[in-house]
Short mmCIF file of all heavy atoms in Angstrom, two decimals:
data_model
loop_
_atom_site.label_atom_id
_atom_site.label_comp_id
_atom_site.label_asym_id
_atom_site.label_seq_id
_atom_site.Cartn_x
_atom_site.Cartn_y
_atom_site.Cartn_z
N LEU A 9 -23.91 -205.95 17.50
CA LEU A 9 -25.23 -205.34 17.68
C LEU A 9 -25.30 -204.56 18.98
O LEU A 9 -24.97 -205.08 20.04
CB LEU A 9 -26.31 -206.43 17.70
CG LEU A 9 -26.24 -207.51 16.61
CD1 LEU A 9 -27.38 -208.50 16.78
CD2 LEU A 9 -26.26 -206.89 15.22
N VAL A 10 -25.75 -203.31 18.87
CA VAL A 10 -25.99 -202.46 20.04
C VAL A 10 -27.47 -202.11 20.03
O VAL A 10 -27.98 -201.55 19.05
CB VAL A 10 -25.13 -201.18 19.99
CG1 VAL A 10 -25.45 -200.27 21.17
CG2 VAL A 10 -23.65 -201.54 19.98
N GLY A 11 -28.15 -202.43 21.11
CA GLY A 11 -29.59 -202.23 21.18
C GLY A 11 -29.98 -200.82 21.56
O GLY A 11 -29.15 -199.92 21.68
N GLY A 12 -31.27 -200.64 21.77
CA GLY A 12 -31.82 -199.36 22.16
C GLY A 12 -31.77 -199.17 23.68
O GLY A 12 -31.06 -199.91 24.38
N PRO A 13 -32.53 -198.22 24.20
CA PRO A 13 -32.48 -197.90 25.63
C PRO A 13 -32.77 -199.08 26.56
O PRO A 13 -32.21 -199.16 27.64
CB PRO A 13 -33.56 -196.82 25.79
CG PRO A 13 -33.73 -196.24 24.45
CD PRO A 13 -33.43 -197.33 23.47
N GLU A 14 -33.61 -200.00 26.12
CA GLU A 14 -33.95 -201.16 26.95
C GLU A 14 -33.07 -202.36 26.65
O GLU A 14 -33.28 -203.45 27.18
CB GLU A 14 -35.42 -201.56 26.77
CG GLU A 14 -36.42 -200.52 27.19
CD GLU A 14 -36.65 -199.47 26.11
OE1 GLU A 14 -36.30 -199.69 24.94
OE2 GLU A 14 -37.18 -198.39 26.45
N GLY A 15 -32.09 -202.21 25.77
CA GLY A 15 -31.25 -203.33 25.38
C GLY A 15 -31.89 -204.13 24.27
O GLY A 15 -32.84 -203.69 23.62
N HIS A 16 -31.37 -205.32 24.06
CA HIS A 16 -31.86 -206.19 22.99
C HIS A 16 -33.10 -206.96 23.41
O HIS A 16 -33.29 -207.28 24.58
CB HIS A 16 -30.79 -207.20 22.59
CG HIS A 16 -29.60 -206.60 21.96
ND1 HIS A 16 -29.63 -205.95 20.76
CD2 HIS A 16 -28.31 -206.53 22.38
CE1 HIS A 16 -28.42 -205.52 20.45
NE2 HIS A 16 -27.60 -205.85 21.42
N THR A 17 -33.90 -207.30 22.43
CA THR A 17 -35.04 -208.19 22.67
C THR A 17 -34.50 -209.63 22.76
O THR A 17 -33.37 -209.91 22.36
CB THR A 17 -36.06 -208.12 21.53
OG1 THR A 17 -35.42 -208.56 20.32
CG2 THR A 17 -36.62 -206.70 21.37
N ASP A 18 -35.33 -210.52 23.26
CA ASP A 18 -34.93 -211.93 23.33
C ASP A 18 -34.62 -212.49 21.95
O ASP A 18 -33.69 -213.29 21.79
CB ASP A 18 -36.03 -212.76 24.00
CG ASP A 18 -36.16 -212.47 25.49
OD1 ASP A 18 -35.18 -211.98 26.09
OD2 ASP A 18 -37.24 -212.74 26.04
N ALA A 19 -35.38 -212.07 20.93
CA ALA A 19 -35.15 -212.57 19.57
C ALA A 19 -33.77 -212.18 19.05
O ALA A 19 -33.10 -212.98 18.40
CB ALA A 19 -36.23 -212.07 18.63
N VAL A 20 -33.34 -210.98 19.35
CA VAL A 20 -32.01 -210.55 18.91
C VAL A 20 -30.93 -211.32 19.67
O VAL A 20 -29.96 -211.79 19.07
CB VAL A 20 -31.83 -209.02 19.09
CG1 VAL A 20 -30.39 -208.60 18.86
CG2 VAL A 20 -32.77 -208.26 18.16
N ARG A 21 -31.12 -211.50 20.96
CA ARG A 21 -30.14 -212.27 21.74
C ARG A 21 -30.06 -213.71 21.24
O ARG A 21 -28.98 -214.29 21.16
CB ARG A 21 -30.46 -212.22 23.23
CG ARG A 21 -29.98 -210.94 23.90
CD ARG A 21 -30.04 -211.05 25.42
NE ARG A 21 -31.40 -211.12 25.91
CZ ARG A 21 -32.19 -210.09 26.14
NH1 ARG A 21 -31.75 -208.86 25.96
NH2 ARG A 21 -33.42 -210.25 26.58
N ARG A 22 -31.20 -214.29 20.87
CA ARG A 22 -31.20 -215.67 20.34
C ARG A 22 -30.48 -215.75 19.00
O ARG A 22 -29.86 -216.75 18.68
CB ARG A 22 -32.62 -216.20 20.21
CG ARG A 22 -33.24 -216.66 21.52
CD ARG A 22 -34.53 -217.43 21.30
NE ARG A 22 -35.52 -216.71 20.52
CZ ARG A 22 -36.45 -215.90 21.05
NH1 ARG A 22 -36.50 -215.70 22.36
NH2 ARG A 22 -37.31 -215.29 20.26
N ARG A 23 -30.57 -214.70 18.19
CA ARG A 23 -29.94 -214.69 16.87
C ARG A 23 -28.41 -214.60 16.99
O ARG A 23 -27.67 -215.06 16.13
CB ARG A 23 -30.47 -213.51 16.05
CG ARG A 23 -29.78 -213.27 14.72
CD ARG A 23 -29.90 -214.47 13.79
NE ARG A 23 -29.23 -214.24 12.53
CZ ARG A 23 -27.94 -214.51 12.29
NH1 ARG A 23 -27.18 -215.03 13.23
NH2 ARG A 23 -27.41 -214.27 11.10
N ALA A 24 -27.94 -214.02 18.07
CA ALA A 24 -26.50 -213.83 18.26
C ALA A 24 -25.81 -215.16 18.56
O ALA A 24 -26.36 -216.02 19.24
CB ALA A 24 -26.26 -212.85 19.39
N HIS A 25 -24.62 -215.30 18.04
CA HIS A 25 -23.79 -216.45 18.36
C HIS A 25 -23.18 -216.30 19.76
O HIS A 25 -22.93 -217.29 20.43
CB HIS A 25 -22.65 -216.60 17.34
CG HIS A 25 -23.14 -216.92 15.97
ND1 HIS A 25 -23.30 -215.96 14.99
CD2 HIS A 25 -23.50 -218.09 15.41
CE1 HIS A 25 -23.74 -216.53 13.88
NE2 HIS A 25 -23.88 -217.83 14.11
N GLU A 26 -22.95 -215.05 20.13
CA GLU A 26 -22.36 -214.75 21.45
C GLU A 26 -22.92 -213.43 21.96
O GLU A 26 -23.34 -212.58 21.19
CB GLU A 26 -20.84 -214.56 21.34
CG GLU A 26 -20.06 -215.78 20.99
CD GLU A 26 -18.56 -215.50 21.05
OE1 GLU A 26 -18.09 -214.95 22.07
OE2 GLU A 26 -17.87 -215.84 20.07
N LEU A 27 -22.83 -213.28 23.28
CA LEU A 27 -23.11 -212.00 23.93
C LEU A 27 -21.80 -211.50 24.52
O LEU A 27 -21.09 -212.25 25.20
CB LEU A 27 -24.14 -212.17 25.05
CG LEU A 27 -25.51 -212.73 24.68
CD1 LEU A 27 -26.38 -212.85 25.92
CD2 LEU A 27 -26.19 -211.90 23.62
N TRP A 28 -21.48 -210.24 24.26
CA TRP A 28 -20.29 -209.62 24.84
C TRP A 28 -20.74 -208.44 25.70
O TRP A 28 -21.73 -207.77 25.42
CB TRP A 28 -19.37 -209.07 23.77
CG TRP A 28 -18.61 -210.09 22.96
CD1 TRP A 28 -18.69 -211.44 23.05
CD2 TRP A 28 -17.68 -209.80 21.93
NE1 TRP A 28 -17.84 -212.02 22.13
CE2 TRP A 28 -17.21 -211.04 21.43
CE3 TRP A 28 -17.20 -208.62 21.37
CZ2 TRP A 28 -16.27 -211.11 20.40
CZ3 TRP A 28 -16.27 -208.70 20.35
CH2 TRP A 28 -15.80 -209.93 19.87
N SER A 29 -19.96 -208.18 26.72
CA SER A 29 -20.19 -207.02 27.58
C SER A 29 -18.95 -206.15 27.57
O SER A 29 -17.83 -206.67 27.58
CB SER A 29 -20.49 -207.48 29.01
OG SER A 29 -20.55 -206.35 29.87
N LEU A 30 -19.15 -204.85 27.57
CA LEU A 30 -18.02 -203.92 27.68
C LEU A 30 -17.67 -203.64 29.13
O LEU A 30 -16.80 -202.83 29.41
CB LEU A 30 -18.33 -202.61 26.94
CG LEU A 30 -18.47 -202.73 25.43
CD1 LEU A 30 -18.85 -201.39 24.82
CD2 LEU A 30 -17.19 -203.26 24.80
N GLY A 31 -18.35 -204.28 30.04
CA GLY A 31 -18.09 -204.09 31.47
C GLY A 31 -19.38 -203.97 32.24
O GLY A 31 -20.48 -203.97 31.67
N ARG A 32 -19.24 -203.87 33.53
CA ARG A 32 -20.42 -203.85 34.38
C ARG A 32 -21.07 -202.47 34.48
O ARG A 32 -22.20 -202.35 34.95
CB ARG A 32 -20.04 -204.36 35.77
CG ARG A 32 -19.67 -205.85 35.71
CD ARG A 32 -19.17 -206.42 37.00
NE ARG A 32 -20.08 -206.14 38.09
CZ ARG A 32 -19.73 -206.12 39.37
NH1 ARG A 32 -18.49 -206.37 39.72
NH2 ARG A 32 -20.62 -205.86 40.29
N LEU A 33 -20.38 -201.45 34.05
CA LEU A 33 -20.96 -200.11 34.06
C LEU A 33 -22.00 -199.98 32.96
O LEU A 33 -21.86 -200.57 31.90
CB LEU A 33 -19.88 -199.05 33.83
CG LEU A 33 -18.81 -198.90 34.89
CD1 LEU A 33 -17.74 -197.93 34.41
CD2 LEU A 33 -19.42 -198.41 36.19
N THR A 34 -23.02 -199.18 33.20
CA THR A 34 -23.97 -198.85 32.15
C THR A 34 -23.40 -197.64 31.42
O THR A 34 -23.13 -196.61 32.03
CB THR A 34 -25.35 -198.51 32.75
OG1 THR A 34 -25.82 -199.65 33.46
CG2 THR A 34 -26.33 -198.13 31.66
N LEU A 35 -23.21 -197.80 30.11
CA LEU A 35 -22.67 -196.72 29.29
C LEU A 35 -23.76 -196.14 28.41
O LEU A 35 -24.61 -196.89 27.90
CB LEU A 35 -21.54 -197.25 28.41
CG LEU A 35 -20.33 -197.85 29.11
CD1 LEU A 35 -19.39 -198.47 28.09
CD2 LEU A 35 -19.62 -196.79 29.93
N PRO A 36 -23.73 -194.84 28.18
CA PRO A 36 -24.68 -194.28 27.23
C PRO A 36 -24.38 -194.83 25.83
O PRO A 36 -23.22 -195.00 25.46
CB PRO A 36 -24.44 -192.77 27.30
CG PRO A 36 -23.16 -192.58 28.03
CD PRO A 36 -22.85 -193.84 28.76
N HIS A 37 -25.42 -195.13 25.08
CA HIS A 37 -25.24 -195.79 23.80
C HIS A 37 -24.35 -195.03 22.83
O HIS A 37 -23.58 -195.66 22.10
CB HIS A 37 -26.60 -196.14 23.21
CG HIS A 37 -27.25 -197.27 23.95
ND1 HIS A 37 -27.76 -198.36 23.32
CD2 HIS A 37 -27.41 -197.51 25.27
CE1 HIS A 37 -28.24 -199.21 24.22
NE2 HIS A 37 -28.04 -198.70 25.41
N PRO A 38 -24.41 -193.69 22.79
CA PRO A 38 -23.46 -193.00 21.91
C PRO A 38 -22.00 -193.28 22.29
O PRO A 38 -21.15 -193.49 21.42
CB PRO A 38 -23.80 -191.52 22.09
CG PRO A 38 -25.22 -191.52 22.50
CD PRO A 38 -25.39 -192.76 23.36
#
């Protein structure tokens, strides 16, 4: 799951089994 400009809502994060990060940089969603 990739969220919108503000990221995921709490409900989406709760639904996930895990959270992954592609790194500490902020990347444009495209």
Side-chain angles (χ1 to χ4, degrees):
L9 313 180
V10 177
E14 297 83 17
H16 293 295
T17 62
D18 289 338
V20 171
R21 279 192 292 276
R22 282 192 305 270
R23 173 61 181 88
H25 295 98
E26 293 186 50
L27 301 179
W28 288 2
S29 173
L30 294 177
R32 293 175 52 203
L33 295 173
T34 300
L35 300 173
H37 288 229

